[in-house]
Amino acid sequence: MPIPVLKRTTTPPVEGPTPPQKVYWGRTYVSVTGRNGEGEEIPLTDFSNSLWPGIIMLPGATGLDAAPLEHHADDSPNLDGGDYRDSKVVAREVMIPVHLHGIDRPTIKRMKSRLRSSLTPKKGFCVLKFVEGDGVPRYLRCYYKSGMEGSESQDDAGFTWQKYGLQFTAYDPYFYSDDVQVAQWEFGDVEAFLDTSQALFPIRLNAGRLADDLVTIENPGDVEAWPRWELEGPIKAFDFIGPEGHSFGIEAPIDGSDIVPAGRTLTIDTRPKFKTLRDDEGTNYWPDLKANPQLWPIPDGDSECTVSITPGAPSARVRLTFQPRYEGY
């Protein structure tokens, strides 16, 4: 009887998940600029060596991530707890510890004077600038509050150096970017109504009325953004409807004239504390708006709005810009 031969079978190895690869990421650049952001930019992370005079940001900064919240609730006199009503983002408090290092006593005195003069709120707000390894800047507008009162203790100061904990208050708690999103509508009588062969921005549309035309807008920020609309005449009427149904616009005059004449540009600024409709000659268009106007924001992510324009001629143009806002840098 033949002896059976046992064959060894090999199971192919199971491939595991690919380990993540490290991404090179440079150090974060930080600077502060006073005088409403128009003064001297003072770097806080460009310290060259242990001998050269400079200002360096120390570990321990606070208030640079999520924006602070304030909750509102209704309390019941007969029941435990309360009922949540809503939340509001409030002013952001930021603390940045810094070390001032000089090569001699006159150097450190000049640095302290330079920093005090740049940050004083009497000369305007400060702009804290953060640039991560991807090279994309973020800006936070804030006011110096305290921290430079000074201490001559052994741990806080020396003959040629000084430590401060700079305290700032950002009443607008969001970070802004240089990346201003733009969409543009041009009216040409020889073009297709909506040219889909090119990218969404800028959009080119033909002459005539844009009746209930849905447009997708991408807001890369963390929260809603407030747009600015620029309408170059001649334009007879317009209507903008936001993603949640809020709208504003101006109806065409009965006599058929242009609400925005040729050669004039109407700017609609929807930002809070601005909320203006003025042309390049200062004419106020607010009284001409339809009843109950709501100058709506653009939500974060992708959303659809309705653009309805009646141009008076092919030379009319509509431009949309907005600046994304972020909760952290």
Side-chain angles (χ1 to χ4, degrees):
M1 181 175 181
I3 300 175
V5 178
L6 299 178
K7 294 183 178 180
R8 177 176 293 180
T9 59
T10 58
T11 303
V14 178
E15 295 184 1
T18 303
Q21 301 297 315
K22 287 186 178 180
V23 176
Y24 174 76
W25 202 259
R27 293 186 177 274
T28 304
Y29 171 82
V30 184
S31 69
V32 59
T33 305
R35 301 175 184 265
N36 292 330
E38 298 179 356
E40 175 192 6
E41 182 177 355
I42 302 176
L44 302 181
T45 53
D46 270 0
F47 199 66
S48 300
N49 55 60
S50 60
L51 299 178
W52 195 252
I55 304 174
I56 185 69
M57 179 177 171
L58 299 174
T62 60
L64 297 177
D65 285 323
L69 293 170
E70 178 182 86
H71 297 306
H72 299 150
D74 295 323
D75 292 329
S76 173
N78 300 321
L79 299 175
D80 295 337
D83 294 322
Y84 172 81
R85 198 153 35 107
D86 56 29
S87 297
K88 171 190 174 184
V89 177
V90 297
R92 181 192 296 264
E93 299 292 333
V94 174
M95 192 281 290
I96 297 183
V98 295
H99 177 99
L100 282 65
H101 188 89
I103 58 175
D104 51 30
R105 189 63 178 173
T107 304
I108 189 65
K109 288 177 64 67
R110 284 195 300 269
M111 276 196 293
K112 291 196 291 185
S113 175
R114 167 190 171 203
L115 191 62
R116 288 194 303 263
S117 177
S118 297
L119 302 189
T120 175
K122 291 185 176 180
K123 297 178 181 179
F125 60 80
C126 300
V127 175
L128 291 174
K129 179 181 179 181
F130 300 83
V131 184
E132 281 277 18
D134 57 3
V136 178
R138 297 282 187 269
Y139 304 96
L140 181 69
R141 301 180 183 95
C142 51
Y143 289 86
Y144 166 75
K145 182 178 180 181
S146 64
M148 287 190 291
E149 294 81 3
S151 171
E152 295 299 324
S153 67
Q154 186 175 358
D155 294 334
D156 293 327
F159 189 71
T160 60
W161 60 276
Q162 178 77 52
K163 286 183 180 179
Y164 290 138
L166 302 178
Q167 302 274 355
F168 298 92
T169 300
Y171 294 100
D172 181 350
Y174 295 112
F175 290 82
Y176 290 80
S177 171
D178 281 336
D179 184 19
V180 177
Q181 306 297 305
V182 178
Q184 182 169 293
W185 290 263
E186 296 179 356
F187 304 88
D189 53 6
V190 296
E191 299 180 0
F193 179 75
L194 179 58
D195 186 357
T196 58
S197 64
Q198 301 178 4
L200 177 61
F201 301 123
I203 296 176
R204 300 177 63 84
L205 303 173
N206 74 342
R209 179 176 176 81
L210 301 181
D212 299 332
D213 186 65
L214 286 177
V215 177
T216 300
I217 300 177
E218 179 186 357
N219 175 9
D222 296 329
V223 296
E224 73 277 3
W226 295 90
R228 293 175 68 250
W229 301 87
E230 295 180 8
L231 285 69
E232 297 182 16
I235 290 177
K236 296 185 176 298
F238 67 87
D239 199 27
F240 300 126
I241 304 176
E244 297 183 1
H246 304 301
S247 66
F248 64 92
I250 299 179
E251 295 179 343
I254 299 177
D255 59 5
S257 60
D258 299 322
I259 57 172
V260 182
R264 302 272 284 276
T265 300
L266 169 63
T267 299
I268 304 172
D269 193 338
T270 69
R271 292 176 297 170
K273 301 180 182 178
F274 290 87
K275 302 290 186 185
T276 57
L277 289 88
R278 294 185 181 276
D279 65 12
D280 49 315
E281 294 186 352
T283 303
N284 183 17
Y285 281 68
W286 193 277
D288 300 328
L289 287 173
K290 297 179 182 179
N292 192 28
Q294 295 174 304
L295 276 59
W296 42 270
I298 299 173
D300 57 293
D302 292 340
S303 60
E304 289 185 336
C305 67
T306 300
V307 178
S308 181
I309 303 290
T310 304
S315 59
R317 180 179 300 172
V318 178
R319 183 180 179 88
L320 164 66
T321 64
F322 65 90
Q323 196 169 20
R325 304 189 298 173
Y326 302 86
E327 290 191 347
Y329 70 89

